[in-house]
Structure formats: C-alpha cells, structure tokens
Amino acid sequence: MADSRDENVTWLTQEAYDRLRAEYEYLSGPGRVDIAKKIEAAREEGDLKENGGYHAAKDEQGKMEARIFHLRQIIDNAQVGEAPKAEGVVGPGMTVTIRFVGDDDEVTFLLASREESGAPIDVYSPRSPLGAAINGKKIGEKATYSLPNGRQNTVEILEAVPYIGN
C-alpha cells in the first residue's frame, strides 16, 4: 500500500471512485462511439475546411480524450477509502484549520482530491501550493508557500482532524 503522503496517490471515497469510474467507462466506450458518429455525419456534409459541425465535433473529441486520459490517471493512482491519519498532523483526508500569519482570519477546509468536490466544505488539493506546504505539518507549526503573484504567504496550523463527512 502506498504511503498516505505519496504525492502520486489520490485518496478517494468509494462514492467518488465509483462516479469517476462510471464516467470513464461511458466516455471510453459509448462516448467515443457517439463522437465518431458525429464526426462521420459532419464529414458527409462536404468541404471540411468550412464545415463548422465537423470542427466542433473534432474539438469535442479532443476534450473528451483529454478527460479520458485524466480520469485514467486518477483511477490508476487512486486509493479508495480513508487515508491513514494521525490527528494533529496535516494530510489528505484531514479537516484543517489555518490562520494567516499577521492576520486574525482563520480558514477551515478539507485537504483532499478536487474530485471530492461534493464535500460540504471547501476542498484544497494536497498538490496545490498551500496543500503541498502544509502536508505533514503538525498543529502549531508554520508553513510558507508562494502565491500566484510570486509573493510568499505564511500560515499557522491550528487544527488537523480526520474528516468525518456531513
């Protein structure tokens, strides 16, 4: 079994795994057949250079193939169930509360795959700059990460407890 802190592992609930697996099965089977039919029907309309339906179907096919590839990566690297957790240590599957240093604002979120988007609280990916910076930190520790504008931001870990759902 992979280490819970392994950056290549995506921890998913059974529900999220099943949902992604069903989407993958549809897109890689009937979805591909449907798009091939659309492309063929558009191709029969004539000149491909000025055939908007053909180009739209080809664009749709490209997006679908990218999604199939992404889903395959997630499924291949998924661990279904609960990530091993140590209360007080930040890791995937933990509800984390942080405070921005120099500010009184506190933020609570679930550190998990973005594919767990059905959670009733905000979800931050362990691969995001903030998620990567706090992963493995203990309560009371600080972590610094880079913002998109290049500035640095520092947070203090206030709480890290296993996520228990709704």
Side-chain angles (χ1 to χ4, degrees):
M1 177 176 234
D3 177 28
S4 66
R5 308 268 184 255
D6 184 341
E7 65 187 43
N8 294 321
V9 171
T10 301
W11 289 93
L12 297 172
T13 60
Q14 187 67 51
E15 176 186 27
Y17 179 83
D18 292 345
R19 179 174 40 82
L20 295 174
R21 184 80 194 183
E23 181 183 358
Y24 173 79
E25 295 296 331
Y26 171 76
L27 290 177
S28 62
R32 279 183 171 149
V33 171
D34 290 346
I35 195 69
K37 287 178 183 174
K38 283 184 186 176
I39 291 169
E40 186 57 35
R43 182 178 282 137
E44 291 173 1
E45 291 174 9
D47 185 8
L48 297 182
K49 283 187 251 178
E50 296 181 22
N51 188 328
Y54 174 79
H55 294 291
K58 290 296 283 183
D59 286 347
E60 184 181 344
Q61 180 186 40
K63 290 175 185 172
M64 187 177 78
E65 290 300 325
R67 179 65 177 161
I68 289 169
F69 179 78
H70 181 70
L71 288 170
R72 182 81 253 162
Q73 285 185 310
I74 292 170
I75 291 166
D76 286 348
N77 294 307
Q79 289 288 331
V80 179
E82 295 298 315
K85 301 173 187 85
E87 190 159 332
V89 178
V90 176
M94 300 294 282
T95 300
V96 181
T97 302
I98 60 169
R99 178 178 29 243
F100 293 95
V101 172
D103 196 341
D104 288 336
D105 287 345
E106 294 181 8
V107 177
T108 300
F109 56 89
L110 170 61
L111 188 66
S113 166
R114 294 273 186 193
E115 301 300 335
E116 294 288 353
S117 60
I121 63 174
D122 288 339
V123 178
Y124 286 43
S125 169
R127 295 183 182 122
S128 69
L130 174 59
I134 65 174
N135 199 11
K137 298 283 186 193
K138 296 181 175 98
I139 292 174
E141 290 184 335
K142 293 181 178 158
T144 301
Y145 65 101
S146 295
L147 297 168
N149 65 9
R151 292 182 39 218
Q152 300 288 304
N153 205 3
T154 302
V155 297
E156 179 182 1
I157 311 303
L158 301 178
E159 184 177 52
V161 296
Y163 177 69
I164 54 173
N166 300 340

